[in-house]
Amino acid sequence: MKEITRRKFIATATVATGFALAVQPISAEVITTDAKGLVAGAVKIPVKDGEIPAYRAAPASGDNFPIVLVIQEIFGVHEHIQDITRRFARLGYLAIAPELFIRQGDVSKLSNIDEIRPIVAKVPDAQVLSDLDATVNWAKKSAKGNGEKLGITGFCWGGRITWLYAAHNPQVKAGVAWYGRLVGDATELQPKYPVDIASKLTAPILGLYGGKDTGITLDTVEQMRDRLKSSSSKSEIIVYPNAPHAFFADYRPSYREKEAQDGWKRLLAWFRQNGV
């Protein structure tokens, strides 16, 4: 995409409405959180090359809210991710989910995951980390966020980013990574994986993984656990033996209610005990 075209695209981009086309049909178990008593909806985050869209949810009254960055799956900031931000807002958080693929394309409009993967593969980690820095700055300056209480959580693609961003930004107090990939082949755009930064982590990260995840094998989880032993972060990884990948995704067949609810309780306790 040419630079002028890309800038124009970013300027007109918006967050998705509803669920991404690639995840249809939606499961009957889908959780819906309304926005009563909240300020919730699309916002624009100033970044180095313009603005990116994001979905923000916070209590309608009050200020100095603890900040939670909610990092998207491969399907973008669609309704599931937006609902998660509202769940946080109901608990007193300012939750923000920036569209981190938007320069490369609008994945919510694509009907097949095989069309989405090439777009996501073009997203540089450096761009993502910079956009998240900008999101944190926006939250502090424009949305009544408390930068001293910064947490991050992400799912699948966003789970990997959760580990990486915690290593990147010393302001992060705690994070929870849901089934994010831990190892991989380094490329120019994605030069590091969580195992590469594990020993240098200082922020406590809770990893939540599924024992039946065919894409993230248990040997890589054990490799990550071993690397974490040499860090000062006191990070932990929980494996749910019978859970598949995406067990928190209540709109998909992979959803496992028991494990999802336990993981959410652990997330909230983890944030509380670590100052978020």
Side-chain angles (χ1 to χ4, degrees):
M1 192 181 289
K2 293 181 180 179
E3 188 63 28
I4 187 68
T5 307
R6 191 171 81 161
R7 285 182 180 175
K8 185 176 180 181
F9 178 70
I10 295 172
T12 58
T14 59
V15 292
T17 301
F19 288 91
L21 289 180
V23 302
Q24 309 290 339
I26 304 305
S27 168
E29 294 186 276
V30 68
I31 296 170
T32 302
T33 307
D34 66 45
K36 291 179 182 178
L38 306 178
V39 175
V43 295
K44 295 283 189 178
I45 306 294
V47 293
K48 289 181 179 179
D49 52 350
E51 293 179 325
I52 61 170
Y55 189 89
R56 173 275 315 266
S61 60
D63 58 16
N64 210 34
F65 305 118
I67 302 165
V68 177
L69 299 173
V70 180
I71 314 302
Q72 66 205 57
E73 315 152 296
I74 196 173
F75 305 112
V77 182
H78 67 135
E79 177 57 28
H80 175 61
I81 298 300
Q82 295 174 26
D83 196 90
I84 291 170
T85 69
R86 295 193 295 272
R87 296 176 207 177
F88 277 117
R90 289 210 164 280
L91 297 170
Y93 291 97
L94 163 63
I96 314 171
E99 279 280 11
L100 298 169
F101 307 156
I102 203 67
R103 295 173 186 78
Q104 284 69 36
D106 184 356
V107 296
S108 71
K109 302 295 191 294
L110 301 176
S111 59
N112 191 305
I113 194 170
D114 291 331
E115 297 176 287
I116 294 174
R117 285 194 178 100
I119 290 175
V120 177
K122 295 175 184 176
V123 180
D125 286 347
Q127 170 189 293
V128 172
L129 300 178
S130 176
D131 285 352
L132 290 174
D133 285 343
T135 302
V136 173
N137 288 337
W138 179 88
K140 292 190 291 186
K141 295 177 181 177
S142 305
K144 302 179 181 179
N146 182 352
E148 298 299 314
K149 294 186 175 184
L150 174 63
I152 181 170
T153 191
F155 304 84
C156 187
W157 182 89
R160 172 179 173 269
I161 295 300
T162 295
W163 292 102
L164 296 182
Y165 191 68
H168 164 79
N169 185 352
Q171 296 177 62
V172 173
K173 285 285 191 291
V176 178
W178 300 77
Y179 35 83
R181 193 175 178 194
L182 298 167
V183 304
D185 296 326
T187 67
E188 184 178 353
L189 297 183
Q190 291 93 32
K192 292 183 179 180
Y193 280 79
V195 290
D196 302 314
I197 55 84
S199 62
K200 300 174 184 177
L201 268 178
T202 56
I205 307 300
L206 175 64
L208 299 173
Y209 287 78
K212 301 295 186 184
D213 191 330
T214 58
I216 301 172
T217 55
L218 290 177
D219 64 308
T220 65
V221 173
E222 290 307 318
Q223 187 178 344
M224 185 68 178
R225 277 177 169 157
D226 187 60
R227 296 283 182 93
L228 287 170
K229 290 176 184 176
S230 59
S231 83
S232 62
S233 68
K234 297 183 180 179
S235 296
E236 298 178 14
I237 295 179
I238 303 294
V239 175
Y240 295 101
N242 297 315
H245 188 75
F247 62 85
F248 191 78
D250 51 69
Y251 65 98
R252 296 168 67 184
S254 58
Y255 178 58
R256 297 295 183 271
E257 183 180 26
K258 179 182 175 182
E259 289 86 347
Q261 290 181 352
D262 184 77
W264 183 251
K265 288 177 183 176
R266 288 178 183 272
L267 175 151
L268 296 177
W270 190 260
F271 279 174
R272 282 193 299 267
Q273 73 186 50
N274 291 294
V276 178

